[in-house]
């Protein structure tokens, strides 16, 4: 926990002396939260400000409150986020559920109304580039039980801890050097992808033939950002992806997810989505289809894509061959797309920026794998293989 | 826990349908926090907003941060409190420490700089009378171990739970009726005290001869308030006191505390304070004097009184003959005074209001008991016995 905390503070968020440091956390994640606070204060933070969200309280709300009120969030939560930007704070969020089955039995339509702890201000906060931030996984016993069912509780937690240590490269002698090396690889791929000037990307595999159109201003990006003041930070640990913002109007075809996804505290397996003119028009799943159907009804853009990400077979998450039921990890296992809110920072040019997805949801799902071929169509019409058998072809 | 939660929601704060409900809590108080959230949503709350404060994070701050920064609090915490008033929220705070010895080894001078989770905006919030609020005790294993040292952990927690149930009258068939009866008694005493038009109150007992001057506008009050909108709420559960705001310039003599007090996570025992012209000029104690000395140096008014409260021998806290190391309970065991911030709502008249204590601290300490005689001096010079042997004489 202490090494993970140091990585989050010193490398991920790259906390600067004198900064306020927000930690988005939950009851049940005390150990890592406190280790992060300790590391941040040791590094000279001015104030560490944990923001604790309790899903049990949310469950009471979903069970008893008037559905009409479920979208309501007191103003101060969103404004706190915007003010983190105004004061130039650092922010660290902890992924990983404490009680994965807590929301079972709750109507998915209600879950789609109450998006907390997600706040709509988090998009503008990221776009504003005033906050150096990161998201890191926090192993918990409940999460471990879900990842390693049938394994004794202590052993499951130990295994999850080891998996996270491996995936976050904490098992390396010099984790920061290992991350610098991987990020340099991803950055080189990013440059080559941008040089290709792609018009669209096609995924072909079992149950999948999907074409995702790009905007002229779509720029491939890695999860290493810089604030306007030049503080370089790695926004996801782990990160294995090169991603961009697609044209929300040009997704066509059918896609089958290659991993389960876990959203609104609900598991969705065997997901199949058909897109027409950019919109998800059919959603089927072995389990949990209603949850996603509820979410894409939330607003006008919720059924359109907001992200396209490519992940190669060197991903440590992918190589672990483990389903983590956690987007931060699972999205870094394989190429993926996301319904909902797009990153403006992947777009060059005001005109294209005005077109990107502005939904309040953002739901990643994994569609890549060794048996999914990824091919680029250049604006000049040339067809370029991008990934074959999980290996870059460019 | 569920009955305590219902008492807090339905009687203490008297939560109204449609209200936002703030819960000031800590990691380690999940069970009561969640029971309160459940009860509040069942009662029709619009949004339950727990505000979790983690003293472990505070400890890291006190150990590592530049002392110059320790008074800093991000703006949004205080503004959230003020906005609870603007929107007419309900607020429930949970007393009782999770880890009583957490701050051992921390320099008391530093503890006096970082007052969190106390916020200076809580005074104006109360004065504004827009929020219906209450404070209730939350039994925790750590707190139980402190109250019942040498008792097995489970048994200690069970005993603390039983003591709290008795003191909060949850052991009665109809706790609300029991509270209505006790509050009616206290209210009758309040009226008689106000009718006496006292100029000062004198405490005489072992190690104590203290006279506390009152302002012309000082009004005796019970801990049952009404918002400007007429929502009646009981601000402390338990409450056994009738209290007022004294003249901060007219405290004279010496007082010996009759119970230990627990402040800034530090125990203070055998406290003796000498006042001159309203100011605490000498502070001695068997243990913890430095903590209080640090606190009274915080601001200009911190060494002057801001509260005077009388408690009779019928107090269930007093009758339990237990030291709880928790101000909410211990202050309701015996008559007490407080250094620091005064309640403006105990004052009639703008001129007197301008004189009351505006410190940022508020430290209660217990000075009453069966062997402490309390006597009133009326403005017309008449001397009136108020409490003898713990019984009202009026």
């Amino acid at each position: 926990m202490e090494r993970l905390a140091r990585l989050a503070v010193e490398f991920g968020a790259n906390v600067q002396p004198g900064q306020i440091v927000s930690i988005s956390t939950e009851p049940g994640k005390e150990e890592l939260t406190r280790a992060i606070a300790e590391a941040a204060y040791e590094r000279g933070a001015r104030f560490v400000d944990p923001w604790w969200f309790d899903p049990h309280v949310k469950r009471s709300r979903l069970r008893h409150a008037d559905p009409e009120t479920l979208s309501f969030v007191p103003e101060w939560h969103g404004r706190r986020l915007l003010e983190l930007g105004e004061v130039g704070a650092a922010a660290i969020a902890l992924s990983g559920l404490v009680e994965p089955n807590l929301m079972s039995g709750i109507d998915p339509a209600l879950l789609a109304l109450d998006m907390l702890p997600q706040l709509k201000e988090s998009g503008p906060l990221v776009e504003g580039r005033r906050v150096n931030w990161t998201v890191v996984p926090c192993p918990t016993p409940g999460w471990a039980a879900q990842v390693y069912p049938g394994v004794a509780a202590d052993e499951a937690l130990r295994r999850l801890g080891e998996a996270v240590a491996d995936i976050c490269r904490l098992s390396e002698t010099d984790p920061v050097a290992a991350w610098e090396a991987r990020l340099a690889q991803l950055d080189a791929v990013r440059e080559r992808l941008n040089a290709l000037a792609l018009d669209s990307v096609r995924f072909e595999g079992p149950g999948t033939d999907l074409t995702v159109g790009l905007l002229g201003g779509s720029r491939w990006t890695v999860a290493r950002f810089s604030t306007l003041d030049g503080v370089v930070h790695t926004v996801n640990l782990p990160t294995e992806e090169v991603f961009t913002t697609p044209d929300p109007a040009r997704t066509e075809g059918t896609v089958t997810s290659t991993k389960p996804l876990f959203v609104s505290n609900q598991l969705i397996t065997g997901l199949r989505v058909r897109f027409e003119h950019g919109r998800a028009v059919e959603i089927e799943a072995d389990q949990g289809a209603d949850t996603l159907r509820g979410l894409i009804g939330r607003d006008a853009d919720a059924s359109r894509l907001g992200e396209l990400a490519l992940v190669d077979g060197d991903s440590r998450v992918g190589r672990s061959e483990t389903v983590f039921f956690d987007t931060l990890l699972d999205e870094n296992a394989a190429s993926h797309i996301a319904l909902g809110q797009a990153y403006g920072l992947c777009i060059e040019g005001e005109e294209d920026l005005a077109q990107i997805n502005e939904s309040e949801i953002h739901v990643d799902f994994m569609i890549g794998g060794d048996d999914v071929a990824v091919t680029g169509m250049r604006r000049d019409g040339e067809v370029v293989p991008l990934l074959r058998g999980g290996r870059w072809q460019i």
Side-chain angles (χ1 to χ4, degrees), chain A:
Chain A
M1 285 292 186
E2 200 200 310
R3 282 153 61 221
L4 182 53
R6 292 204 174 278
L7 186 71
V9 168
E10 295 169 8
F11 179 73
N14 189 11
V15 170
Q16 303 293 301
Q19 279 196 304
I20 294 174
V21 181
S22 167
I23 308 175
S24 296
T25 185
E26 286 182 31
K29 298 180 176 177
E30 288 80 2
E31 189 183 348
L32 184 56
T33 303
R34 291 167 183 167
I36 287 172
E38 177 83 4
Y41 276 124
E42 280 182 16
R43 195 160 159 109
R46 182 177 175 80
F47 191 85
V48 176
D49 195 47
W51 186 78
W52 301 83
F53 181 79
D54 188 351
H56 285 263
V57 171
K58 173 169 175 165
R59 184 164 194 274
S60 288
R61 184 187 200 194
L62 293 169
R63 288 182 61 220
H64 300 295
D66 179 353
E68 299 279 308
T69 66
L70 290 180
S71 303
F72 172 77
V73 180
E75 246 186 292
W76 47 85
H77 287 294
R79 228 187 19 241
R80 171 180 175 277
L81 272 199
L82 298 179
E83 288 181 9
L84 289 175
E86 284 163 24
V87 303
I92 298 170
L94 306 187
S95 87
L97 289 173
V98 175
E99 288 178 58
N101 300 315
L102 190 64
M103 297 297 168
S104 59
I106 302 285
D107 179 354
L110 300 180
L111 281 164
L113 294 172
D114 180 354
M115 303 292 290
L116 282 169
Q118 207 174 300
L119 289 164
K120 67 179 190 318
E121 290 81 359
S122 67
L125 182 68
V126 167
E127 301 295 343
R129 297 182 57 201
R130 299 291 308 275
V131 169
N132 38 312
W133 58 281
T134 194
V135 188
V136 297
C138 178
T140 68
W143 182 17
Q146 189 186 27
V147 178
Y148 307 104
V151 174
D154 282 3
E155 172 64 9
L157 185 58
R158 194 192 60 75
R159 282 173 66 175
L160 181 59
E162 271 186 12
V164 164
D166 176 61
I167 286 166
C168 289
R169 293 169 167 79
L170 290 169
S171 46
E172 300 292 317
T173 319
D174 186 344
V176 168
W179 276 114
E180 294 289 5
R182 176 60 167 162
L183 286 162
Q185 284 175 354
L186 296 175
D187 207 51
V189 168
R190 176 189 68 78
E191 283 192 12
R192 291 197 294 272
L193 282 169
N194 281 331
L196 286 173
L198 298 174
D199 176 67
S200 65
V201 175
R202 184 172 182 184
F203 293 82
E204 291 164 288
T208 291
D209 185 353
L210 183 79
T211 298
V212 181
L214 301 180
L215 295 163
S218 295
R219 292 292 171 268
W220 296 91
T221 307
V222 298
R224 181 165 235 197
F225 296 174
S226 171
T227 64
L228 294 178
D229 293 337
V231 178
V232 174
H233 53 290
T234 304
V235 301
N236 285 352
L237 285 172
T239 184
E240 306 280 358
E241 61 177 335
V242 180
F243 62 98
T244 191
T245 290
D247 182 344
R250 292 202 298 133
T251 313
E252 299 290 340
T254 299
V255 66
T256 297
S257 71
T258 50
K259 300 228 174 207
L261 63 150
F262 205 72
V263 65
S264 303
N265 278 24
Q266 298 279 335
L267 186 65
I268 304 176
T269 59
L271 177 66
R272 302 172 296 283
V273 184
R274 190 166 68 79
F275 287 87
E276 232 177 69
H277 306 309
R279 271 192 200 285
V281 291
E282 268 179 54
I283 292 183
E284 301 296 333
D286 297 341
Q287 182 186 331
D290 281 346
T291 299
L292 196 60
R293 289 187 193 120
L295 281 168
I296 71 163
R298 182 172 168 96
D299 52 47
D301 274 358
S303 63
R304 296 179 181 277
L305 292 192
E307 184 186 344
L308 167 63
L310 302 180
V311 176
D312 68 30
D314 281 347
S315 158
R316 288 204 183 186
V317 186
R319 277 160 52 191
S320 76
E321 293 187 359
T322 305
V323 177
F324 288 100
F325 307 99
D326 181 80
T327 299
L328 173 67
L329 297 192
D330 290 330
E331 76 162 1
N332 280 300
S335 296
H336 57 273
I337 50 182
L339 289 161
Q341 196 166 59
Y343 282 134
L345 45 78
C346 298
I347 294 289
E348 233 172 65
E350 290 302 316
E351 205 173 308
D352 280 353
L353 199 58
Q355 295 185 50
I356 68 170
N357 197 317
E358 293 184 332
S359 172
E360 282 187 33
I361 73 162
H362 183 96
V363 179
D364 293 275
F365 61 105
M366 282 53 78
I367 63 170
D370 287 357
D371 54 357
V372 179
V374 185
T375 306
M377 267 68 66
R378 297 180 59 170
R379 276 178 232 141
D380 61 12
E382 195 188 334
V383 172
V384 188
L386 299 178
L387 283 165
R388 290 290 184 273
R391 302 197 70 82
W392 288 109
Q393 305 298 304
I394 55 169

